[in-house]
């Protein structure tokens, strides 16, 4: 696993955006097909495409019409940190978490286990706690139902078509400007709130 650290200046903080790159080739089962990867998704269409084609689970303010999409790899520790940073915003934001498989052979099975859990939010919380504790995350069977594996492949394809090279990758509509905003990397709760146009969490 290779880690990419990018420091971006933010107006009110010196927050680091950290992400995991997709340079580990040990998860070929979920890689995108060359034909679909050549069709990029324009920023103006990103939310509609993710809503129509992405498969995952919702957390936070479920009935909100304005969703924040997060493409994540279950083996990415920066995704786990973003999950934790998003928790204080769950009262005002609907997050849709879309698992991809770009890190290693555990990515797709763990993503499938979280997606198919009877309580995906609880499963995600337990998984990310385990991952951040250095325990590797949820134990998951490598035997994945074909429709679930296809969903993870589609999500991985969408990540590539968005032009992303790392996770977590966030796509949202800014609450104040109404513009579609996209960002690779994790940051703290306040920086995430600022990115989404929420102000103080």
């Amino acid at each position: 696993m290779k880690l990419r650290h990018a420091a971006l200046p933010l107006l009110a903080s010196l927050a680091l955006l950290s992400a995991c790159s997709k340079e580990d080739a040990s998860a070929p089962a979920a890689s995108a097909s060359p034909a679909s990867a050549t069709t990029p998704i324009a920023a103006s269409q990103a939310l509609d495409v993710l809503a129509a084609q992405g498969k995952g689970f919702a957390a936070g303010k479920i009935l909100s019409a304005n969703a924040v999409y997060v493409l994540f790899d279950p083996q990415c520790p920066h995704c786990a940190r973003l999950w934790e940073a998003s928790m204080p915003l769950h009262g005002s934001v609907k997050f849709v978490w879309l698992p991809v498989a770009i890190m290693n052979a555990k990515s797709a099975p763990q993503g499938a286990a979280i997606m198919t859990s009877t309580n995906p939010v609880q499963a995600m919380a337990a998984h990310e706690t385990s991952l951040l504790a250095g325990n590797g995350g949820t134990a998951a069977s490598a035997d994945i139902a074909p429709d679930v594996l296809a969903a993870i492949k589609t999500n991985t394809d969408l990540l590539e078509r968005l032009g992303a090279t790392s996770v977590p990758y966030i796509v949202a509509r800014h609450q104040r400007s109404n513009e579609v905003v996209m960002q690779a990397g994790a940051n703290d709760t306040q920086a995430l709130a600022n990115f989404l146009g929420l102000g103080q969490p």
Side-chain angles (χ1 to χ4, degrees):
M1 175 175 72
K2 293 187 178 181
L3 301 180
R4 185 183 68 154
H5 299 282
L8 299 179
L10 297 175
L11 293 178
S13 70
L14 296 174
L16 283 179
L17 292 177
S18 300
C20 293
S21 68
K22 59 177 199 159
E23 296 178 15
D24 186 332
S26 58
S31 62
S33 65
S36 59
T38 59
T39 310
I41 301 171
S44 60
Q45 299 173 326
L47 287 171
D48 291 338
V49 172
L50 290 174
Q53 299 178 26
K55 301 284 189 248
F57 66 94
K61 191 175 181 181
I62 304 299
L63 298 179
S64 175
N66 189 8
V68 173
Y69 292 90
V70 182
L71 294 110
F72 76 101
D73 188 299
Q75 282 289 289
C76 169
H78 303 299
C79 297
R81 290 188 186 94
L82 182 63
W83 170 261
E84 289 189 340
S86 74
M87 291 296 189
L89 305 179
H90 279 194
S92 56
V93 178
K94 173 184 178 180
F95 290 92
V96 179
W97 293 80
L98 308 174
V100 303
I102 62 171
M103 298 298 299
N104 60 47
K106 291 183 178 180
S107 300
Q110 289 178 337
I114 294 166
M115 279 179 62
T116 59
S117 170
T118 54
N119 187 335
V121 173
Q122 186 176 34
M124 179 77 160
H127 168 77
E128 300 298 24
T129 298
S130 171
L131 189 70
L132 288 175
N135 298 322
T138 301
S141 170
D143 186 19
I144 306 171
D147 61 323
V148 177
L149 182 59
I152 294 171
K153 285 181 179 181
T154 296
N155 291 344
T156 306
D157 178 36
L158 291 170
L159 179 72
E160 293 192 6
R161 290 173 58 202
L162 287 165
T165 59
S166 60
V167 287
Y169 195 77
I170 307 168
V171 180
R173 187 173 299 284
H174 194 275
Q175 295 291 315
R176 294 180 183 171
S177 71
N178 208 35
E179 296 290 326
V180 175
V181 291
M182 298 188 283
Q183 170 183 287
N187 45 25
D188 63 25
T189 301
Q190 183 59 64
L192 178 60
N194 291 344
F195 172 73
L196 298 174
L198 300 173
Q200 292 292 328

